């Protein structure tokens, strides 16, 4: 696909109506905030559409349109202000992206976002596109009707029932051991369309982030190794040797195939499981994709010469896509709202004094003043000259903060 008219849009320029080059984002969460930071650093003006007056991205953007994602007036205002538009949230109605695309270049497009919004469509897409030996989908069944529930093959149990739509951070999921638990869990989820996935023996989890331009060229980062606690990302380890090279190459090839198959434009993250299949390194199972920068790519802000947010800006604006280079081994620790409470449930400030005294500490807080357990408040990336040092400092920080999920370091 060639770039639509209006692209590239260069930062620092002014259009015929005297309007400075402005990039827009649907959604005002932390991903939008880091997008805004990257766009502004290049010299763009920014506009955020999010109904929340205190949204992390809205707080730092030149423009903040405070309407719902489907508000016709809000969308018209965003299209009027912006030369190109992206999204930071995969559950933005795809109809809204279509409306915007009638007036401005939008990347990723509505069709790609619609696939990522629906696990049933997503799994069909993976099955059709992956085509890399040694990479498969988790065995699954679609459950939309009582007949489909009854017909679930016994070998999918124990499994994880996942709502087809609106799931994130482990929400909308239930682990089930047998047919009775499955039926009860589906009733509990109000019998919305779901997929049942076989519970797999995970050796590890990883993700791959790529950026694909309007010209079909793809650049990307090496796979990150991820540790989840209670269905939420806790730790990302990004350095050479974090996983076997043969697996890393397969994950990258599969991610590129997934992006190419739908002519994707923008930043795409694909999550994989490494499962124990008796082979030396294990096999890869593709789990899900995010049509945007991803929590597991936050380390790129501090450990790479070009971050995932820089690539998002470049891709949507039709600028050249530089191949990123990681200059330091990195470990990222997610900071959830739980850290803002002591054992007695009393509010506290995490011990930043001790954490920030550690070498290579990069603290990112998202501007959320209301801490709640499980809420993503920020992240902390450690960089160092070598892997042993970065593990040691990240481990120290995890101990100081009382963080789970990072027991592997010395
Ligand atoms: P995200 O926040 O990444 O969008 P999500 O809520 O959409 O998360 P998944 O990525 O499907 O959910 O699952 C969350 C975590 O649950 C996974 O990272 C993994 O640790 C575990 N998990 C999910 N599916 C399986 C499976 N089939 N077998 C074993 N563990 C699984
Ligand atoms: Mg996931």
């Amino acid at each position: 696909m060639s770039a639509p008219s209006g692209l590239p849009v260069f930062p620092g320029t002014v259009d015929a109506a005297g309007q400075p080059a402005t990039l827009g984002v649907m959604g005002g969460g932390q991903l939008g905030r880091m997008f805004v930071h990257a766009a502004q650093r290049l010299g763009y003006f920014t506009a955020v559409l999010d109904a929340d007056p205190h949204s992390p991205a809205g707080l730092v953007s030149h423009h903040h349109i405070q309407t719902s994602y489907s508000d016709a007036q809000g969308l018209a205002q965003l299209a009027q202000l912006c030369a190109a538009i992206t999204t930071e949230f995969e559950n933005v109605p795809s109809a809204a992206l279509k409306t915007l695309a009638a007036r401005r270049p939008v990347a990723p497009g509505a069709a790609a976002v619609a696939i990522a919004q629906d696990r049933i469509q997503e799994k069909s897409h993976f099955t059709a596109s992956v085509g890399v030996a040694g990479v498969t989908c988790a065995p699954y069944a679609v459950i939309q009707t009582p007949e489909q529930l009854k017909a679930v093959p016994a070998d999918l149990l124990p499994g994880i029932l996942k709502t087809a739509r609106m799931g994130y951070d482990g929400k909308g999921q239930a682990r089930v051991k047998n047919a009775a638990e499955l039926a009860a869990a589906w009733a509990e989820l109000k019998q919305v369309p779901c997929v049942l996935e076989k519970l797999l023996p995970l050796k590890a989890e990883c993700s791959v982030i790529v950026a694909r331009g309007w010209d079909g060229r793809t650049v990307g980062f090496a796979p990150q190794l991820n540790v989840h606690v209670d269905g939420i990302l806790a730790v990302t380890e990004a350095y050479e040797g974090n996983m076997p090279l043969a697996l890393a190459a397969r994950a990258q090839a599969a991610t590129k195939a997934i992006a190419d198959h739908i002519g994707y434009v923008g930043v795409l993250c694909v999550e994989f499981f490494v499962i124990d299949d008796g082979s030396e390194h294990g096999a890869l199972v593709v789990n899900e994709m995010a049509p945007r920068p991803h929590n597991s790519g936050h380390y790129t802000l501090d450990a790479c010469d070009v971050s995932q947010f820089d690539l998002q800006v470049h891709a949507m604006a039709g600028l050249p896509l530089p191949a990123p280079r990681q200059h330091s081994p990195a470990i990222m620790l997610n900071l959830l709202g739980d850290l803002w409470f002591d054992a007695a449930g009393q509010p506290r400030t995490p011990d930043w004094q001790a954490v920030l005294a550690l070498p290579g500490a990069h603290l990112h807080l998202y501007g959320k003043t209301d801490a709640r357990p499980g809420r993503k408040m920020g992240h902390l990336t450690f960089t160092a000259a070598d892997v042993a040092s970065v593990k040691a400092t990240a481990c120290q920080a995890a101990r100081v903060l009382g963080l789970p999920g990072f027991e592997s370091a010395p």
Side-chain angles (χ1 to χ4, degrees):
M1 198 193 316
S2 55
S5 71
L7 295 185
V9 46
F10 293 116
T13 53
V14 175
D15 70 12
Q19 195 162 273
T22 304
L23 300 181
V25 60
M26 291 288 276
Q30 61 267 17
L31 297 172
R33 179 179 174 102
M34 290 181 267
F35 162 79
V36 162
H37 287 152
Q40 291 181 346
R41 196 175 65 158
L42 261 178
Y44 290 105
F45 279 47
T46 59
V48 169
L49 188 146
D50 190 305
D52 177 2
H54 307 293
S55 78
L59 289 175
V60 296
S61 180
H62 295 86
H63 305 278
H64 180 187
I65 301 165
Q66 294 175 25
T67 67
S68 77
Y69 297 127
S70 45
D71 183 272
Q73 246 185 319
L75 293 174
Q77 203 186 339
L78 189 69
Q80 196 272 326
L81 277 170
C82 299
I85 296 159
T86 189
T87 182
E88 63 109 42
F89 175 57
E90 68 257 40
N91 289 320
V92 163
S94 60
L97 296 179
K98 259 189 223 151
T99 303
L100 293 169
R103 291 189 50 189
R104 298 292 187 193
V106 174
V113 175
I115 294 172
Q117 283 173 354
D118 185 324
R119 286 189 196 273
I120 300 171
Q121 282 193 50
E122 189 177 56
K123 286 187 185 297
S124 315
H125 170 52
F126 290 157
T127 309
S129 63
V130 168
V132 175
V135 185
T136 54
C137 254
Y140 74 101
V142 172
I143 301 179
Q144 286 174 301
T145 65
E147 291 69 40
Q148 286 173 323
L149 176 73
K150 280 202 201 90
V152 162
D155 65 0
L156 288 183
L157 293 164
I160 304 189
L161 184 69
K162 303 180 177 181
T163 57
R165 304 181 70 84
M166 301 301 274
Y168 68 99
D169 289 348
K171 295 188 176 70
Q173 299 196 2
R175 292 187 177 220
V176 292
K177 288 202 241 8
N178 51 43
E181 283 189 18
L182 171 62
W186 194 44
E188 180 78 12
L189 292 171
K190 309 261 183 313
Q191 303 200 332
V192 295
C194 283
V195 298
L196 174 72
E197 272 179 33
K198 191 178 170 69
L199 186 67
L200 299 170
L202 307 192
K203 266 167 88 106
E205 299 189 55
C206 68
S207 54
V208 177
I209 295 166
V210 295
R212 195 171 178 279
W214 294 97
D215 60 359
R217 210 179 136 248
T218 304
V219 298
F221 302 93
Q224 304 81 228
L225 196 67
N226 302 321
V227 179
H228 291 80
V229 175
D230 298 332
I232 307 180
L233 183 68
V235 180
T236 293
E237 301 185 45
Y239 43 76
E240 240 174 72
N242 64 351
M243 60 189 287
L245 281 180
L247 277 188
R250 263 190 261 155
Q252 283 174 302
T255 303
K256 184 172 184 311
I258 286 165
D260 284 344
H261 192 74
I262 41 173
Y264 191 87
V265 179
V267 170
L268 176 77
C269 177
V270 178
E271 294 179 41
F272 297 88
F273 300 145
V274 184
I275 60 157
D276 199 348
D277 67 343
S279 67
E280 187 188 354
H281 299 310
L284 279 180
V285 168
V286 51
N287 174 31
E288 59 174 358
M289 66 181 199
R292 48 163 174 80
H294 193 258
N295 195 166
S296 64
H298 291 353
Y299 75 91
T300 63
L301 286 165
D302 301 302
C304 299
D305 59 354
V306 177
S307 77
Q308 60 170 352
F309 301 101
D310 294 330
L311 290 178
Q312 183 183 23
V313 171
H314 280 235
M316 73 184 291
L319 302 181
L321 284 183
R325 185 181 62 83
Q326 186 170 350
H327 51 69
S328 306
I331 292 177
M332 184 219 63
L333 307 175
N334 251 354
L335 304 172
L336 302 183
D338 310 59
L339 294 183
W340 274 253
F341 298 94
D342 67 17
Q346 291 306 308
R348 68 166 180 199
T349 300
D351 190 354
W352 301 137
Q353 181 70 22
V355 165
L356 293 174
L358 293 169
H362 308 271
L363 178 63
H364 298 253
L365 295 180
Y366 305 146
K368 301 178 184 178
T369 46
D370 183 17
R372 288 191 299 273
R375 189 177 195 205
K376 289 177 178 170
M377 300 295 289
H379 69 271
L380 185 58
T381 301
F382 286 92
T383 54
D386 57 72
V387 175
S389 312
V390 84
K391 279 188 176 176
T393 42
C395 194
Q396 254 178 291
R399 243 182 256 127
V400 165
L401 292 169
L403 281 170
F406 192 65
E407 288 87 26
S408 66

